[in-house]
Amino acid sequence: MDDKIKIRLARPEDAGELLAIYAPYVEETAVTFECSVPSAEEFRQRIVEIQKKYPYLVAELDGEAVGYAYASAFKGRAAYDWSVESSVYVRRDKKRLGIGRKLYEELEKCLSAQGIRNINACIACPEREDEYLTADSIRFHEKLGFASVGIFHSCACKFGRWYNMTWMEKHIGAHEENPDPIILFPDVKS
């Protein structure tokens, strides 16, 4: 299956297809704390804005978008430039096929080429698993080498329930003194 999954850069015109992957997470789960599905235009604009600095990747299986992953700024201040926040979504009927792992592997390569040192993941975390949220995302990130660094308790309310949020991190580069500035993703040379 792994060799059938193709990873490519997202294009603004992918917005509708990627939004179709994301919308069920908004409407039916607490995986994302976004409570309203964004419009296709808003989603398209997110792709455009992220790609000004970071990679936004799409996974295709048999020519159909089945997942996506991207990095965004961890914090807006300059001293955080070498750290990013990552996000990954896989079509719910295509989970456990290696799509998320393959997306993250390619994302990590892209980020390393930029000079990024830390990947941070902000993950919805259930006190107890329920029909809206499991710990699957936490387990997924652990398998990829992420470590938990903290939990914010009862910080988000969705579907009338309070959920925690955990931060996980993965170091992907050396933390030397005076690192070179990161390279904007559009400027990275393969």
Side-chain angles (χ1 to χ4, degrees):
M1 175 63 65
D2 193 56
D3 60 331
K4 292 183 177 183
I5 302 165
K6 305 296 180 212
I7 307 297
R8 64 168 175 80
L9 290 177
R11 298 180 294 262
E13 57 268 23
D14 292 323
E17 234 182 328
L18 302 186
L19 184 56
I21 293 169
Y22 182 62
Y25 286 100
V26 175
E27 296 170 328
E28 302 166 11
T29 79
V31 168
T32 175
F33 290 154
E34 192 159 16
C35 294
S36 299
V37 176
S39 69
E41 178 54 29
E42 181 181 346
F43 209 80
R44 186 192 75 73
Q45 196 56 39
R46 290 178 186 184
I47 294 169
V48 169
E49 287 303 312
I50 286 168
Q51 286 185 330
K52 289 179 179 177
K53 191 169 184 177
Y54 302 108
Y56 200 122
L57 306 175
V58 174
E60 289 183 330
L61 183 60
D62 300 323
E64 184 178 17
V66 291
Y68 64 93
Y70 62 90
S72 57
F74 174 61
K75 295 285 181 191
R77 299 204 170 125
Y80 290 111
D81 279 355
W82 298 269
S83 297
V84 296
E85 183 176 344
S86 61
S87 294
V88 61
Y89 289 91
V90 174
R91 208 170 79 188
R92 291 174 77 192
D93 65 337
K94 298 294 184 188
K95 290 178 135 190
R96 295 182 176 28
L97 298 176
I99 296 164
R101 179 187 47 76
K102 192 155 184 176
L103 278 163
Y104 250 125
E105 287 171 353
E106 189 61 32
L107 184 66
E108 189 173 318
K109 286 180 200 171
C110 294
L111 294 170
S112 290
Q114 287 186 265
I116 299 298
R117 306 313 200 273
N118 294 18
I119 303 175
N120 302 294
C122 173
I123 302 169
C125 174
E127 196 72 39
R128 284 177 296 287
E129 293 188 9
D130 63 24
E131 68 271 27
Y132 301 115
L133 185 63
T134 68
D136 285 353
S137 189
I138 294 167
R139 290 186 284 268
F140 168 75
H141 282 81
E142 287 171 342
K143 287 179 186 176
L144 295 177
F146 283 74
S148 181
V149 293
I151 295 176
F152 291 93
H153 298 276
S154 299
C155 63
C157 186
K158 190 169 180 181
F159 305 119
R161 299 176 187 181
W162 286 96
Y163 292 100
N164 301 337
M165 185 269 291
T166 187
W167 276 107
M168 297 183 81
E169 70 177 0
K170 182 176 183 181
H171 291 188
I172 62 168
H175 291 80
E176 71 277 358
E177 289 184 26
N178 303 311
D180 290 334
I182 67 159
I183 302 167
L184 298 182
F185 185 69
D187 299 328
V188 172
K189 304 293 183 237
S190 305

